[in-house]
Amino acid sequence: MAEYDVDVAILGAGTAGMAAYREAVRQTDRIALIDGGPLGTTCARVGCMPSKLLIAAADAAHEARHTAQFGVHAGDVSVDGVAVMNRVRSERDRFVGFVKEAVEGFAPRHLIRQNATFVDDNTLALDDGSQLTARTVIVATGSRPIIPPPFKAAGDRLIINDDVFDWQDLPRSAAVFGAGVIGLELGQALSRLGVRVHLFGLGNGVGPLSDPDLVAYARDTFGGEFLTHFDADTKLSRDGGEVVVSWTNRNDPSDTGEERFDYLLAATGRRPNLDRIGLENTSLVLSDRGVPEIDPMSMRATSSKEGVSSIFVTGDAAVDLPLLHEAADEGRIAGENAARYPEVYRRARRTELGVVFSDPQIAVIGRGYKALTEAGVEFAHGEVSFEDQGRARVIVKNAGLLRVYGERDTGLLLGAEIIG
């Protein structure tokens, strides 16, 4: 067997990379954890944690405005945007600090603070011009927001969710493009904090829901709270310091208008950071989008030479399930397999679970309506409404619908979609 500088090289020190490192270091001390960017996971820096901080402030304002239904009159509610964003940034920085401390607590000899690109399957070129050889490589390079070209018309008024969490104050208005997880969470939160928000989507989708009845329920629910256009043709332009958005709803011709906003928030999805690391120099089988073929139970990528490879892809870079807990699981699987290579194990994955921290919250567990339909599964559903559920009515949170899906012949529980 060839002699390499290290047994395992890990590209990226985010959630997946850290999990891979912790698992691999149990098997070998010959490790390189390579990351030339700012330390701190996507979750801590620009994802889960700062978004939940903003949502917490928004929910506090919303609850304070709706006490009268309990016979409690709290008076006028005002939002101090500077104070809100001070707390978001301060706590965000605290969470990021914990992650940085964790990475800096790893063995210093293992940490390489540079970027790397593939020369071939087992060779990496570093920023300083040197090269590193590795018996196995784990790609844990994360993802970044997608910016559709038409959005460039907004100029410096175009922002992504990363930018929101660096605000010093809340803006007066924002056009949020994208009705997925990020757009829904941030759009509702900003609206509850007093920002004039319009949420624009395409295809009438809402978050990860796919059951037509739940999607329709979600559209009605969120549309009843703030201005939403879930299937809109839009045109963008810039006028002075404002973004001008004109729109026509494809399903409702009466929903046509033009508004000016301080910002255009692009929340139209994320793409894996795979296009800048030289994957074209490897033997991996790549799709038209440059994405490798990956076995989700081992995280090993497919090679055009031998069918299998010594490269593992994990976390948001693996595309399939860009969620924190999935990234951690995938990192552990990849770390174990990379360190033990050529012994590679296929590990059973936990049931899929994705949650949107909107209000009402949304969750998809296991296989949802779309996945089952596309797979040709014969299934039936059971349904529960929360509108007349006792506990929900007591706390005036009685909006929601739950559907569980079961295999028609066996009754096997397959999944669920929930808003509630």
Side-chain angles (χ1 to χ4, degrees):
M1 182 178 291
E3 182 62 32
Y4 297 104
D5 296 323
V6 296
D7 290 331
V8 182
I10 304 168
L11 307 188
T15 297
M18 292 170 68
Y21 174 85
R22 292 187 176 109
E23 191 65 33
V25 80
R26 297 170 60 185
Q27 314 292 335
T28 177
D29 188 54
R30 289 164 41 82
I31 297 178
L33 179 59
I34 306 168
D35 194 321
L39 296 179
T41 62
T42 296
C43 173
R45 293 179 64 87
V46 297
C48 323
M49 304 315 295
S51 65
K52 302 307 175 288
L53 287 161
L54 193 71
I55 290 168
D59 288 349
H62 182 76
E63 297 299 330
R65 293 189 192 103
H66 292 83
T67 60
Q69 56 200 334
F70 298 102
V72 177
H73 301 281
D76 292 336
V77 176
S78 63
V79 175
D80 183 341
V82 173
V84 168
M85 295 313 302
N86 277 343
R87 180 172 187 265
V88 169
R89 295 194 314 276
S90 174
E91 287 296 303
R92 182 271 314 270
D93 292 346
R94 183 168 168 268
F95 292 127
V96 170
F98 293 150
V99 177
K100 291 174 67 176
E101 288 177 9
V103 175
E104 290 166 354
F106 295 160
R109 64 184 178 279
H110 293 161
L111 188 60
I112 298 177
R113 298 289 284 123
Q114 299 187 57
N115 295 306
T117 57
F118 282 96
V119 176
D120 57 42
D121 285 19
N122 302 99
T123 308
L124 298 166
L126 302 178
D127 285 341
D128 63 5
S130 64
Q131 291 190 347
L132 176 79
T133 59
R135 183 164 56 90
T136 59
V137 180
I138 299 174
V139 177
T141 46
S143 62
R144 65 183 186 274
I146 295 171
I147 308 293
F151 289 6
K152 300 295 177 64
D156 62 0
R157 298 278 107 181
L158 169 63
I159 60 170
I160 56 176
N161 61 291
D162 304 34
D163 303 316
V164 169
F165 308 124
D166 282 326
W167 277 344
Q168 303 295 308
D169 194 358
L170 292 167
R172 294 168 302 171
S173 59
V176 179
F177 277 73
V181 176
I182 296 172
L184 196 60
E185 288 185 348
L186 294 184
Q188 184 180 47
L190 291 174
S191 177
R192 289 185 167 188
L193 288 167
V195 179
R196 177 170 58 85
V197 169
H198 281 242
L199 177 68
F200 296 94
L202 283 173
N204 273 319
V206 184
L209 294 172
S210 65
D211 187 306
D213 291 338
L214 270 78
V215 172
Y217 191 101
R219 284 200 305 269
D220 290 343
T221 301
F222 294 112
E225 181 181 332
F226 62 106
L227 291 168
T228 58
H229 319 276
F230 288 108
D231 195 13
D233 288 320
T234 58
K235 292 183 179 179
L236 307 174
S237 62
R238 178 72 181 269
D239 186 12
E242 295 178 311
V243 180
V244 182
V245 182
S246 58
W247 73 90
T248 301
N249 193 315
R250 295 176 180 179
N251 298 290
D252 181 6
S254 66
D255 180 19
T256 300
E258 182 176 286
E259 293 269 355
R260 295 167 178 265
F261 301 93
D262 292 333
Y263 291 101
L264 187 162
L265 170 56
T268 46
R270 298 178 70 88
R271 62 176 296 178
N273 291 324
L274 296 172
D275 53 328
R276 304 170 182 173
I277 59 172
L279 284 182
E280 65 277 6
N281 299 324
T282 70
S283 67
L284 298 190
V285 176
L286 304 179
S287 71
D288 293 340
R289 296 181 298 129
V291 175
E293 185 179 285
I294 306 162
D295 173 13
M297 298 180 73
S298 69
M299 306 316 299
R300 181 161 56 170
T302 302
S303 168
S304 60
K305 292 180 179 179
E306 301 176 4
V308 295
S309 76
S310 58
I311 299 173
F312 300 80
V313 185
T314 183
D316 283 9
V319 181
D320 190 33
L321 295 168
L323 299 166
L324 170 69
H325 55 279
E326 297 289 354
D329 286 353
E330 291 172 1
R332 285 192 289 269
I333 294 170
E336 175 190 35
N337 281 330
R340 290 178 176 271
Y341 187 84
E343 293 183 39
V344 173
Y345 301 92
R346 303 183 78 239
R347 300 299 189 194
R349 301 292 295 272
R350 72 176 85 192
T351 299
E352 296 176 17
L353 169 64
V355 178
V356 184
F357 290 88
S358 53
D359 181 19
Q361 294 183 346
I362 291 171
V364 177
I365 304 158
R367 288 194 285 174
Y369 181 94
K370 181 180 179 181
L372 293 170
T373 302
E374 290 180 345
V377 177
E378 289 289 329
F379 66 96
H381 73 261
E383 178 179 302
V384 173
S385 169
F386 297 120
E387 293 186 354
D388 290 320
Q389 199 274 334
R391 173 63 176 160
R393 292 193 66 85
V394 165
I395 61 175
V396 196
K397 294 287 186 183
N398 55 311
L401 189 64
L402 157 67
R403 276 191 174 168
V404 294
Y405 309 106
E407 192 170 44
R408 189 174 293 278
D409 291 339
T410 66
L412 178 69
L413 180 62
L414 301 171
E417 295 193 16
I418 309 169
I419 175 171

